[in-house]
Amino acid sequence: MMQNFSLRAGTIIDHAARYHPGREVIGRSVEGPIVHSNWQEVRRDAKRLSAALQGLGVQKGDVIGVMAWNTVRHLAVWYGIPGAGAVNHTLNPRLFAEQLVYIINHAEDRFIMVDPDLLPIFEAIIDKLPKIEKIIVLTDRAHMPESPLELLCYEELLEGQPDDAPWVEGDENDPCGICYTSGTTGNPKGVVYSHRSNVLHAMAAAAPDMVNISSNDRIMPVVPLFHANGWSIAYSAPMAGASMVMPGRDMTAAGLYEMLEMGVSFTAAVPTIWLGMLEHLKSGDLKFSSLKRVLIGGASCPRAVIETFQNDYGVQVLHAWGMTEMSPLGTICSFKPEVNALSPADRLTVQETVGHPPYTVDLEIMNDMGECLPWDGITQGRLMARGAAVVQRYLKGDGDAVDTSGWFDTGDVAIIDANGYVRITDRSKDVIKSGGEWISSIELENCAIAHPGVAEAAAVAVPHPKWGERPVLVIVPSAGQDPDKGEIMSLLENRFAKWQLPDDIFSVEALPHTATGKISKLELRQQLEDQGYKLPQ
Ligand code: ADP
């Protein structure tokens, strides 16, 4: 008989502080200067916060909303809140005010913890948040902002608190964190991660065929902690005993590059960040001195980005797919032996897929009748998932979010090949159905982006009397360029059948984006409709 080791979040930071105590955790602080800390100090601050919160009356199961940049302090908050038995509700500052009001009230947040520069967001909406009792500003006394609100100062709260009081005990299935989906249709939905799901997810994510991190790595999450469980890096990095760099709020390519040059070996963000970074490197004739691997996910990563990182900068790309409901990791494109045996060009084509899942994630593609489809590298179906860190039911949801066999419909359309590699072709609501056949908007976009004059591209369906829908490609030109439409069409012709080609290509100054930086196809379709857009005859 074996011991029952409770999979609680506190065990992760306990492990890091005990076995990797001096491992550096460096960050750009909200006050400006770079701070140097380590796992022992992060744990000490988490312990102090946990005690302070309990002193303020926080009870087990209470929800605390956190709106903060990726800082060293924010890491301590990630452990201090669950350490007090409370639940860490991550808040995205880019959400519209009414969405924030909705999710804060829906999750019943009692306290708010907020970076000083983000406080005005709460000043504007506080009268719509009747349940908020206290607002804690994540800074020291000297940097406390002027405000009409009654505020508590984080560093003052921590003063004099015990460094090593025990974590609040509980079941490993207790809630640990909440993250809302951005809700392109309807209200956002809350996903409640348990201590157990977070620990299992971090273990699965850290494995060699996944993000492959160890105590020899220095990890910089560019992806904000408030986006999809922060891709779990605040758990997997200390679990592996890795060093970390927290970039703070300066998300410009120059600011991020400066932080990457602090010995970072591994980093993670959505493709848009890397498009900007590659531009910055090129224009300044810069190189990375320590970066070895980059995790790119959240939206499809164009082939050109993968190629440039690997061939020009010697940085291995890990293309990943996931979603808030999956904590978020679904798959990562690492090379199995079958792929290692391929030519470099064929391996690059494999990297356009999002790879394969870790242990704890199981996938299927299904048709509309719920029948499993073959993994033949051709057949498209609804991508279904189940696993140890996949949502079962949304917060206050009526009924389960899964079917009777436990499958969660990801809302994505995908192809799986014989090696178990997944290719995401669309979101089911963005799929373009022409004459009964599906055309992949993601593939059209990725192909168009390969043209140097195209900064961003979106393929959307426009209603057509004969074919039902036809694709239209909307592009944003790169700075100072006016790309030739005929050239873009030629690029597409090399890769797509004639009936899959867009009926029209046109330029716009900017595309609409969601709070997580993705192109909002819903809004774009709406814009075209509002403008009375007509397909060329
Ligand atoms: P939000 O919609 O709030 O940004 P998520 O981050 O949970 O929420 O988004 C998950 C969705 O992002 C997936 O269902 C999928 O459509 C898309 N996505 C994530 N990674 C990839 C990828 N590598 N390729 C294509 N689509 C992706």
Side-chain angles (χ1 to χ4, degrees), residues 92 95 179-184 191 193 227-229 231 270-271 296-301 318-328 331 351-355 383 408-413 422-430 442 446 514-518:
N92 182 346
L95 284 178
C179 187
Y180 279 74
T181 62
S182 59
T184 34
V191 179
Y193 308 114
H227 182 196
N229 207 16
W231 296 8
V270 293
I296 307 185
S300 176
C301 182
L318 292 168
H319 189 190
W321 163 80
M323 58 195 314
T324 305
E325 287 91 333
M326 297 181 71
S327 302
T331 58
Q351 287 188 284
E352 291 177 61
T353 77
V354 292
L383 184 57
F408 168 72
D409 188 336
T410 64
D412 287 326
V413 179
V422 176
R423 181 184 287 269
I424 306 288
T425 57
D426 254 307
R427 279 195 149 183
S428 48
K429 49 185 182 288
D430 295 337
I442 293 182
N446 281 345
T514 67
T516 47
K518 299 179 192 184

Side-chain angles (χ1 to χ4, degrees), residues 12-205:
I12 297 176
I13 197 77
D14 287 347
H15 174 82
R18 192 161 157 85
Y19 295 99
H20 307 273
R23 194 88 58 233
E24 272 195 297
V25 181
I26 306 166
R28 196 194 295 279
S29 64
V30 285
E31 294 85 10
I34 303 290
V35 291
H36 289 260
S37 185
N38 57 44
W39 288 126
Q40 202 166 35
E41 289 176 4
V42 171
R43 178 179 181 273
R44 178 203 62 201
D45 287 354
K47 285 280 181 184
R48 289 181 180 169
L49 173 62
S50 158
L53 290 174
Q54 291 171 70
L56 290 172
V58 166
Q59 304 282 319
K60 215 166 155 177
D62 280 351
V63 181
I64 301 184
V66 181
M67 187 184 282
W69 304 111
N70 284 7
T71 62
V72 177
R73 227 178 240 138
H74 198 169
L75 287 174
V77 170
W78 266 54
Y79 288 94
I81 291 176
V87 188
N88 170 19
H89 176 194
T90 53
L91 300 172
N92 182 346
R94 296 185 197 105
L95 284 178
F96 290 121
E98 58 274 27
Q99 276 182 327
L100 268 178
V101 167
Y102 173 85
I103 68 173
I104 291 169
N105 288 332
H106 187 259
E108 300 181 40
D109 294 6
R110 261 189 84 188
F111 288 13
I112 293 290
M113 299 184 77
V114 58
D115 272 342
D117 59 310
L118 300 172
L119 185 66
I121 296 179
F122 288 96
E123 289 172 348
I125 58 174
I126 196 70
D127 53 340
K128 301 197 184 86
L129 305 174
K131 295 208 167 85
I132 297 300
E133 294 167 36
K134 290 190 167 50
I135 298 181
I136 301 168
V137 182
L138 293 160
T139 190
D140 52 24
R141 176 48 60 193
H143 293 87
M144 282 297 281
E146 289 283 324
S147 172
L149 303 180
E150 202 178 306
L151 304 173
L152 292 170
C153 166
Y154 174 85
E155 292 295 345
E156 257 177 21
L157 276 181
L158 264 53
E159 266 164 37
Q161 299 291 349
D163 289 351
D164 205 12
W167 303 119
V168 168
E169 285 179 13
D171 191 89
E172 60 180 22
N173 288 303
D174 284 347
C176 177
I178 302 179
C179 187
Y180 279 74
T181 62
S182 59
T184 34
T185 49
N187 279 324
K189 294 198 271 288
V191 179
V192 184
Y193 308 114
S194 65
H195 283 258
R196 175 189 151 86
S197 72
N198 272 336
V199 172
L200 287 175
H201 178 274
M203 285 173 82

